[in-house]
Amino acid sequence: MVTRAVFLDRDGVLNANIERGGRPVAPWRLKDYEILPGVPEAISALKRAGFVTVVVTNQPDIATGRSTRAILDAMHDKLLRYVAIDDIRVCPHVDGDACACRKPKPGMLLEAAADHAIVLDRSWLVGDRWRDIAAGHAAGCRSILVGDWDGDVPAGMRPAHARTKSLPEAVAVILREDHLQAAG
């Protein structure tokens, strides 16, 4: 049996972003952390189809001091109470740290793939930023861009394989493609 995964960005995919300075950003406080509608059901559908679900999230607010590891852990505890996630990987660094885990680098995906024996070319990444999609490409996954925020996409970047408005729509694409691949 091939182990397939769906790697999931957190903010803007599983939980709502908040707006600061006219742009969507991660919540800093637990009281602002809200799981988006349809997320628990979408993840359950992936699990029924045999996918491992792994959150891969950049959380630079830890490095900058805007939030704390304790708040982040409380947010993840809340997520795990409502959503059947198999693993959560966090990069607490900023770009200047030049770590291997901060998306668009694929470090979190590669580590999770090694730990769970995941076949990357049979897996997906779902994210709401170009960094997510680039990390998926770098790891060899197919990718889906969720939402309508593009930000500053680097010139020449390969687009996502699909684009949807929400995680439930992304899961429908994944399950349809998975069914077609199994039938073909």
Side-chain angles (χ1 to χ4, degrees):
M1 183 82 176
V2 172
T3 302
R4 304 160 302 153
V6 176
F7 297 99
L8 302 144
D9 179 50
R10 194 190 80 164
D11 305 307
V13 174
L14 299 173
N15 61 271
N17 279 316
I18 60 171
E19 189 171 314
R20 245 185 247 110
R23 65 184 294 244
V25 297
W28 294 342
R29 303 174 304 182
L30 183 59
K31 74 177 192 170
D32 296 329
Y33 186 78
E34 295 297 328
I35 296 167
L36 289 167
V39 165
E41 298 83 2
I43 298 300
S44 292
L46 289 172
K47 304 287 290 168
R48 284 191 305 274
F51 285 93
V52 172
T53 54
V54 180
V55 174
V56 288
T57 181
N58 287 349
Q59 293 297 320
D61 293 338
I62 303 301
T64 63
R66 288 187 194 111
S67 191
T68 67
R69 188 63 191 221
I71 292 171
L72 181 70
D73 290 344
M75 289 176 181
H76 290 167
D77 288 345
K78 181 177 181 178
L79 177 65
L80 292 171
R81 275 196 307 274
Y82 296 102
V83 184
I85 297 295
D86 293 306
D87 193 1
I88 298 175
R89 303 291 170 125
V90 175
C91 173
H93 306 112
V94 294
D95 285 337
D97 292 333
C99 64
C101 54
R102 185 164 169 77
K103 295 176 289 182
K105 294 178 183 171
M108 288 187 284
L109 287 77
L110 299 176
E111 286 182 6
D115 290 348
H116 296 282
I118 294 166
V119 177
L120 290 166
D121 67 357
R122 295 285 311 275
S123 298
W124 293 82
L125 180 130
V126 180
D128 70 332
R129 308 279 173 115
W130 72 265
R131 289 175 173 272
D132 304 317
I133 303 311
H137 287 314
C141 299
R142 291 170 283 176
S143 60
I144 298 178
L145 182 64
V146 170
D148 52 5
W149 188 81
D150 284 321
D152 299 320
V153 179
M157 191 185 123
R158 290 179 18 214
H161 292 83
R163 186 170 191 155
T164 66
K165 293 186 186 295
S166 66
L167 178 62
E169 288 180 18
V171 167
V173 169
I174 292 167
L175 296 178
R176 183 175 59 247
E177 291 292 322
D178 187 57
H179 179 73
L180 291 172
Q181 188 170 23

